[in-house]
Every structure is written in C-alpha cells, then in structure tokens.
Amino acid sequence: MSGKEMVPWGSAIVGDVLSALQLPGGSFVGKLGDKYLERKQKEAADILIEEVSKGSPEPINFTDSNTDPLIEIIYRFSKAAADGAARENLRLLAQVIARLKKNKALEPDKFRKWANILEQLTRDELMVLGKAISIRRKMAAEGVAFNANDFSNRLRSELVASGYQSTVIDPLCASLGRTGLFLPATGYGGVMVYLPTSWLDELGMLADVESAVSAKGD
C-alpha cells in the first residue's frame, strides 16, 4: 500500500470509530487526512531542497544522468514522509541523498538501505547513534586501538549525562541491533556491550545525526 493510499485509509478508520462512538468530527476526518498528507509532503520537499541546496563546501550539481535514480530516490523519500517519518529522520535522509551525490554514489539501492534503517528510528535511538558516532570519532582521533568496553563505558556515561536512566540504556542499544549499526557482545566480566559496526561509521560520513536530533524545531 502506498503512502498516498495509507493516509485516507487510516482516516476512514478514524472516522468510523468516531462515528460509532458518537463523537463529533467523524465526517471531517477524511479531509483532515488529506491535509495532513499534503502538509507532510510539502514539509518533506522543503527539507530535501534545503539539504541538497546547501552545497557546503562546494555546490551539488545534478546532471541529466542523475534524473532516473533521483526520481526513484525521491519517491522513496516521499514514502517515508507519507508513512509518518519525523522531521529529524527526514532531514537525515535528505542529508544522505546529498552526500551520496557528492560521493558519486547516487544509487536507489544505496538510498533504500538507509531509508529502511533511518525512517522509523525514535528520537532516543537517534540520540544513541549520535553519541556513538561522536565517541567513535574521538577514539579514532586518540589513535588508540578500539576497545569494546571503553566504547561501551563512554557511551553509557554520555547517555547518563544527557539524562537517560541506566535501566533504559541497554534496551535502547539492544533495539538498534535490528539496524545493523550495533552488534551485541559480551565484554569483560560478562558485561553486555554493544559494538559499533562499519555501517555506523558509514552513517557518520553521510549524515550529521547528533545535530539533527539536537536541532530545535525538528
């Protein structure tokens, strides 16, 4: 079912339920659903145009050869918007499109990979990823060999400092195992740790996850 079909279908269900409960508004839900979809698509288009127009440090120049893959990619991006992806998720997807173009890798299959991973991540999951990417960069800059326990301890410390309870950190990290960005493992003393994968490093090169999550208004 396409995104365009999904919203009216969902609106019909809401309208039926409101009518059955004899609550006001049932007859107007269809129109509200159409307006919601229209607003989401306009919002998504504005985000995508903004990101591909930034051109920092050099402008992004699209050519005729980009037309077919770009159309397919924009349709997939549009579907993410219609399916309810949050603004920060859409902004990250737009950044992926821009960076794939810069890297001469503007291929629908590559974008679908990231769309499937990023579109429905929660804000808390994005926060974990942003912190993890930042820690990976700091550890690489230090020039020391990667240590799973050190990475895990730093990540926990950063998340606690950001207001996350220790009891929710493990479930959050475990939930990201489905994305291929983290892999669970047993650290020293049998403690569960979560290892960043090469996909996490790739994401860090394609999108500014931490800034997207912390940006006000998104």
Side-chain angles (χ1 to χ4, degrees), residues 171-212:
L172 267 177
C173 291
S175 72
L176 289 167
R178 73 186 189 280
T179 66
L181 301 172
F182 276 4
L183 290 178
T186 303
Y188 298 128
V191 176
M192 180 64 70
V193 296
Y194 296 91
L195 306 181
T197 70
S198 61
W199 284 14
L200 183 70
D201 295 332
E202 185 181 352
L203 176 59
M205 293 185 287
L206 291 173
D208 188 356
V209 180
E210 192 166 14
S211 293

Side-chain angles (χ1 to χ4, degrees), residues 31-49:
K31 292 181 179 179
L32 291 175
D34 290 341
K35 288 185 178 296
Y36 168 81
L37 179 59
E38 187 177 316
R39 178 176 61 81
K40 287 290 291 183
Q41 295 291 8
K42 176 64 167 60
E43 181 181 274
D46 289 344
I47 289 172
L48 181 53
I49 291 169

Side-chain angles (χ1 to χ4, degrees), residues 1-193:
M1 179 178 294
S2 71
K4 289 184 178 180
E5 294 169 334
M6 191 174 301
V7 172
W9 183 70
S11 299
I13 293 176
V14 175
D16 288 346
V17 172
L18 290 180
S19 296
L21 296 176
Q22 298 182 342
L23 294 174
S27 61
F28 298 102
V29 170
K31 292 181 179 179
L32 291 175
D34 290 341
K35 288 185 178 296
Y36 168 81
L37 179 59
E38 187 177 316
R39 178 176 61 81
K40 287 290 291 183
Q41 295 291 8
K42 176 64 167 60
E43 181 181 274
D46 289 344
I47 289 172
L48 181 53
I49 291 169
E50 179 186 344
E51 291 298 333
V52 300
S53 298
K54 284 180 178 178
S56 178
E58 298 179 358
I60 302 173
N61 296 314
F62 290 91
T63 63
D64 290 345
S65 62
N66 298 139
T67 301
D68 286 348
L70 188 58
I71 289 173
E72 188 171 342
I73 285 170
I74 291 174
Y75 268 116
R76 181 62 182 85
F77 179 83
S78 178
K79 181 180 182 300
D83 287 349
R87 282 178 56 87
E88 55 260 36
N89 302 63
L90 292 174
R91 188 167 298 282
L92 291 173
L93 289 176
Q95 290 175 6
V96 168
I97 294 172
R99 193 55 60 87
L100 286 176
K101 168 57 182 172
K102 286 184 179 180
N103 295 345
K104 299 180 179 180
L106 192 67
E107 301 171 16
D109 196 52
K110 289 183 182 296
F111 179 71
R112 278 193 294 271
K113 164 189 169 181
W114 291 109
N116 291 339
I117 289 173
L118 293 174
E119 67 176 327
Q120 296 301 330
L121 290 177
T122 67
R123 192 175 182 87
D124 288 335
E125 289 172 333
L126 289 174
M127 181 65 74
V128 174
L129 293 179
K131 297 294 185 185
I133 290 170
S134 176
I135 292 167
R136 284 285 285 162
R137 287 177 179 155
K138 290 176 183 176
M139 293 179 74
E142 292 167 3
V144 296
F146 177 78
N147 180 283
N149 278 70
D150 185 26
F151 171 82
S152 186
N153 289 337
R154 291 193 191 196
L155 181 58
R156 289 175 186 277
S157 178
E158 289 271 354
L159 291 171
V160 168
S162 295
Y164 288 89
Q165 299 294 323
S166 57
T167 54
V168 306
I169 292 175
D170 273 336
L172 267 177
C173 291
S175 72
L176 289 167
R178 73 186 189 280
T179 66
L181 301 172
F182 276 4
L183 290 178
T186 303
Y188 298 128
V191 176
M192 180 64 70
V193 296

